[in-house]
Amino acid sequence: MSLQPEPETHPVARAKAPWPLKAESYLLFLNMKELPKGVYDKLEEVWEGEEYGTFKGGLGAVMIVRYSDTPVGPYDELILIPGNFTVPQPSSANSPIKIPKKALRIARIYVSQRTTTYNGRLNWNIPKHLARFSFSSPTSSSSSSSSSLSPLTVRVFPPNSSPGDSTPPFFACTLQPFRWLPAIPVNTSYVPISLLMAQPPCPAAPGQAAAALFEVEQERKIDAYDISEKNEEAVAAGTE
């Protein structure tokens, strides 16, 4: 939820929460003792300040999500949750809102589409940025049962890269599905970490408002999946 009034100008279609979703997701657990240097994007580097909470470690995760159906269309997502952070408490002990002393935090999140970048930052205060995704096979819902059991290689590249160029991925992994277990329903209550999140306010890109207004006034029709770095400024909205 944004701490600012709703923007008057939207560079992409506005889709407010809640969102019904269909997706295929992968969860890779990790346990960090300390935050690595450069854990935040340059735009969110201010979060390193102690006034936004300090890193306490614990079980974190890398999540890979392939959304097949959302209010803004399909897209891919890579999320880094390093672990738990302390949560700044209100100065008044009589605050009507119960705020946890520590909670998970999304430090980085990359998506393959401009529309979800903009709406995700405004709706849920999460620091979405653009990136190019490559998967070795389609989602299991759109492929045969045999191919869905094959190893899946995931690569995520900077937004200015193109297929076939020499740009290396900044994230890559190969996922091997279990072959001897049947499909079972998943209940998030069984996940071995608390899913409670607390995010510092998202800063807006310095020229976001002007870039968004320019796109609207010039009636620029930018493809939602054109993830060139120059197209991120207008959708990098803030909540503070």
Side-chain angles (χ1 to χ4, degrees), residues 182-196:
I184 56 174
V186 174
N187 188 321
T188 55
S189 64
Y190 300 145
V191 176
I193 58 175
S194 168
L195 298 180
L196 184 66

Side-chain angles (χ1 to χ4, degrees), residues 149-185:
L149 291 176
S150 301
L152 176 68
T153 298
V154 184
R155 296 184 178 91
V156 186
F157 299 83
N160 281 341
S161 63
S162 300
D165 67 15
S166 59
T167 305
F170 61 80
F171 174 85
C173 72
T174 298
L175 304 167
Q176 176 63 64
F178 287 107
R179 295 176 181 273
W180 54 86
L181 291 178
I184 56 174

Side-chain angles (χ1 to χ4, degrees), residues 47-142:
W47 290 1
E48 294 176 349
E50 291 188 2
E51 66 271 26
Y52 292 103
T54 56
F55 182 61
K56 291 299 182 182
L59 198 60
V62 171
M63 292 184 65
I64 301 161
V65 189
R66 307 178 75 181
Y67 293 100
S68 57
D69 188 11
T70 82
V72 298
Y75 64 91
D76 303 310
E77 189 170 72
L78 172 68
I79 307 170
L80 170 60
I81 304 170
N84 285 286
F85 292 76
T86 59
V87 180
Q89 299 296 304
S91 56
S92 172
N94 298 321
S95 172
I97 302 174
K98 185 177 181 180
I99 298 178
K101 292 185 177 180
K102 66 177 183 178
L104 297 175
R105 175 188 298 181
I106 295 174
R108 285 205 186 219
I109 175 169
Y110 293 97
V111 292
S112 61
Q113 191 212 62
R114 296 180 78 235
T115 311
T116 189
T117 302
Y118 182 75
N119 285 284
R121 295 180 74 94
L122 289 180
N123 288 348
W124 301 287
N125 188 43
I126 48 179
K128 291 188 175 185
H129 290 275
L130 294 173
R132 181 172 66 86
F133 288 70
S134 170
F135 295 89
S136 60
S137 62
T139 58
S140 59
S141 61
S142 60

Side-chain angles (χ1 to χ4, degrees), residues 32-61:
M32 293 184 178
K33 301 299 182 183
E34 59 183 29
L35 283 179
K37 186 177 180 180
V39 69
Y40 298 115
D41 184 89
K42 186 176 181 179
L43 186 57
E44 286 83 36
E45 282 181 341
V46 66
W47 290 1
E48 294 176 349
E50 291 188 2
E51 66 271 26
Y52 292 103
T54 56
F55 182 61
K56 291 299 182 182
L59 198 60

